Amino acid sequence: MATQYAIEGTTAKGIAASVERGVAEGELAPGDALPPVRRLADDLGVSPGTVATAYKELRGRGLVVTRGRGGTVVAEAPSVASRRPPRMPEGLRDLASGLPDPAFLPVLHPPGDVAPVYGSHRAAPRLPALEELTRGWFRRDGVPAERVTFAHGALDCVARILSVELRPGDAVAVEDPGFHHLLDLVPALGLRRVPVAVDGEGITPDAVRAALRAGVRAIVFSPRAQCPTGASLTPARRDELGALFQEFPEVLVIEDEYLAELDAPPSPSVSALRPARWAQVRTVSKRLGVDLRWAGVTGDEVTLARHDGRMLMTSGWVSHVLQETVVRLFSDPEVARLVARGEAAYAERRRALIGALGARGIHAVGAGGLNAWVPVRDESAVVNGLRTHGWWVAAGARFRIDAPPAVRITASTLLPESAERLAGDFARVLGDAQATYGG
């Protein structure tokens, strides 16, 4: 039990806030046990019902979980403490970031002069030129785009849609392994995660079917270059999933197309089959700039109306200055050529890494995207072992729920000759681990 942090408060909300503060500040770590209800009630001079109400609120928000006789403990990924990676030690080669190579990102040129306007942009939140470009962007891949809207990035969009469509306690199907920030976002919204397995063709029909029959209200997945495995839907897999979603028309289908950039190859999209409730969100941060917090969204009329209704009550609109910057990037042929060179380089570097590992008997996957996903028996042994050789890779625990252990290696800046050296060091680390821990 964690004894170094003293929970305070005389009301249920005050007690819950004290626990949340302890988690956010790192005083209460994942797995730390909270005091039993009656003991904490005696310590604080309140009724057991007050403490029980506080614990119930914390459970509903995903900060703690109850383990029967094991009591109430801080969740493994509490909603106030996202799965941030550990700080990289100095002197190491960063292969854990998941970020693109800056050499293939264009220089951003925001509009020079932005004249002040009277009032707000709420009545006209989207630039017509960017609306038209966004419609063409979706339609290029066969995705219906009668209606489009904008958001401040994929997670901003997904969070807003889920918050207006679902209620605390509802279940959301997510990829496992999957995007770590999404895995944290769902419980932060008070929702339950239902893991869905991923293979080389994306989310698996059997896992999706089980999740749908279990009563999930929404499913969020990437149809292309899935993070962290790099899997993309095949046409056959897309059709099989589409048929499943037709059987459950009340389930909201959200596609996160984070790599659907200017010259990326088309991807089979379930959205093209028009599920009853659906949305697809596309972002530009991986190919046009990590600071471009903009996303284009299309979907059914009800979903988009609810998204925009909530946005109007909060941020109101995406900055027109940012929108104008995106318009210029989308309209610049030199930027398109730079993006295409980046796509080719990323594919070459990813294949070189996977090939170098494979030549040493190390299985890795990564058909698309910026990373390779390498199954291992002991994530810590591999991460720490590669650290001694000067490499910094990401432990897979941040990206998975029930999936087997693995490490993620970002290949975006790894030249083929460096990939050979990394693969050799990886093989040595595995050999050392086997000698230490046995077969």
Side-chain angles (χ1 to χ4, degrees), residues 199-218:
D199 64 13
E201 298 179 28
I203 51 176
T204 64
D206 287 345
V208 172
R209 185 179 294 106
L212 293 172
R213 290 176 175 173
V216 299
R217 294 286 310 282

Side-chain angles (χ1 to χ4, degrees), residues 93-95 97-107 259 284-290 338-350 369-371 410-416:
R93 175 75 181 275
D94 184 6
L95 301 179
S97 69
L99 298 176
D101 186 339
F104 299 111
L105 295 177
V107 175
L259 276 184
V284 297
S285 59
K286 288 294 189 291
R287 290 295 187 270
L288 298 182
V290 295
L338 179 64
V339 169
R341 291 196 296 273
E343 291 280 354
Y346 296 143
E348 178 188 17
R349 295 170 185 181
R350 192 180 61 249
L370 307 179
N371 308 292
T410 299
S412 58
T413 61
L414 190 68
L415 299 179

Side-chain angles (χ1 to χ4, degrees), residues 126-175:
R126 295 177 295 276
L127 294 181
L130 189 53
E131 277 191 311
E132 192 57 34
L133 287 168
T134 304
R135 288 192 185 92
W137 194 23
F138 284 110
R139 288 169 175 164
R140 180 198 66 185
D141 293 346
V143 178
E146 290 85 0
R147 294 166 294 275
V148 297
T149 191
F150 304 153
H152 305 280
L155 285 173
D156 173 72
C157 171
V158 172
R160 190 172 293 109
I161 291 175
L162 293 180
S163 67
V164 297
E165 293 285 349
L166 279 62
R167 296 294 177 264
D170 285 345
V172 180
V174 294
E175 297 163 317

